[in-house]
Each structure stands twice: as C-alpha cells, then as structure tokens.
Amino acid sequence: MSQFCAVLTGDLINSTKTDPDVVERAFEALFKAGEDVRVFDPEGGAAVERYRGDGWQALVRDPRHALRAALLFSAAVASVDRSIATRIAVGFGPVGPLHPSGLGASDGLAFRLSGRLLDEMPKSLRITAGVDPDNAGGLTGWAIAALRLAGAVCETWTAKQAEVMRRLLVRDPPSQSELADRLGVSQQTVQKHFDSAQGAVLLSAIEQVEGWD
C-alpha cells in the first residue's frame, strides 16, 4: 500500500573542487542530520543514503516535516565549511514499500519526481520542490513556495550561522543560553547568528507548513 511522503534528493555543490576531507565531513554531517530527522518524523523516515559519489537521498514519511528536514540538511553541510553546500530537490507523492536494499532501489512517484527535479534544477536555486497535480495529497502551492524561499535564505548562511541553525532546527532544541554553553560562546553571539540566519522567520514558516492538514 502506498503512502504520501516526501523524498529529498541532493548533491554536494563544488565537491570535485573541494578538499576530499571536507566532502567526507559533509557526508558525516548529513548522516547525523538524518538521525535528527528520524526523531521528529513520527512515521520513521529512512536515514540518509549516499549514492553516485556526491549524491544523497532521504525519505520523510510525514511530508509536513520536509521543510524542517531540508533546512536541517542544508545547515549540516554548510556548518562544515563555507566552501561546500548542498542542493536539494523535494518530491512529494506516493511511495510504496521500500526495497530491501535501500532507498536507491526503491520506487514511487515521489522518488521519480525528486530525481527529475534535481536533474533539471537551475543553478539559481538551492532548494526546489514539486508535486504531481493528480497526486497532491492535500499539498498546496504555498508549501512548495516556502521550500524555495527557504533555500534562498540558507544560501546566505555562514558556517557559524549554519551551526546555530543546525542545533536549533532539531526536535526539542536547547535554549540559546544552553547552546551558547555547548559552543563556548556568549548567548548574545548565538542570538546574533540566529537573527542573521533569519531563524525566527524560518521557524515560523516551518510551524505553518507542519500545521497543514
């Protein structure tokens, strides 16, 4: 039986021109972010899988969490080094039972749409999304627009801003004071990075998207 889900397909930007150690650290950050996504995705989405060298894919079973997941993955990579980033294409649609060998061998409209969107993605976008109009599952255009706008915002993040956002996008995030202690900086510094990253605006957008019926 199929389920309406979100599939996120991405790749690393400038990976061939980046220090291989930075690339590996970026994937380690993606894998860790995948674990965080599984915490806030109540249906138990699949963790990140790597493919085609610099490509990766993740399944979010509750599509309302796609925006939070996309931002978390973006923040994870950008926090490693400013020289590297990730593009993300989100496909919404039905997904059947996953193939035993993993996401790369699985099929469904969301998988096919996500892969096609990434292949056709213009360089001007950091995050894109799409849904088949005949299989929209109640998804509205504003949710897709929110993902694209969020991509434009996260493209401007510094590594320090991304690190703060990576810590605050998780389920049950620490307070800014607690995060400051963990990072060894002042609360004012955390607040500055959060504000510069447009954190309040993004969290508000996430709240709206996660509230759709």
Side-chain angles (χ1 to χ4, degrees), residues 51-113:
Y51 74 100
R52 295 194 307 188
D54 65 353
W56 60 271
Q57 196 164 57
L59 170 68
V60 178
R61 289 200 176 275
D62 186 338
R64 293 174 295 182
H65 296 298
L67 175 57
R68 187 187 295 270
L71 284 169
L72 186 56
F73 289 133
S74 295
V77 174
S79 69
V80 170
D81 191 278
R82 194 66 180 91
S83 66
I84 197 165
T86 186
R87 301 186 308 156
I88 302 173
V90 184
F92 294 97
V95 170
L98 297 183
H99 195 280
S101 63
L103 296 179
S106 298
D107 193 22
L109 183 59
F111 282 101
R112 297 193 296 271
L113 180 58

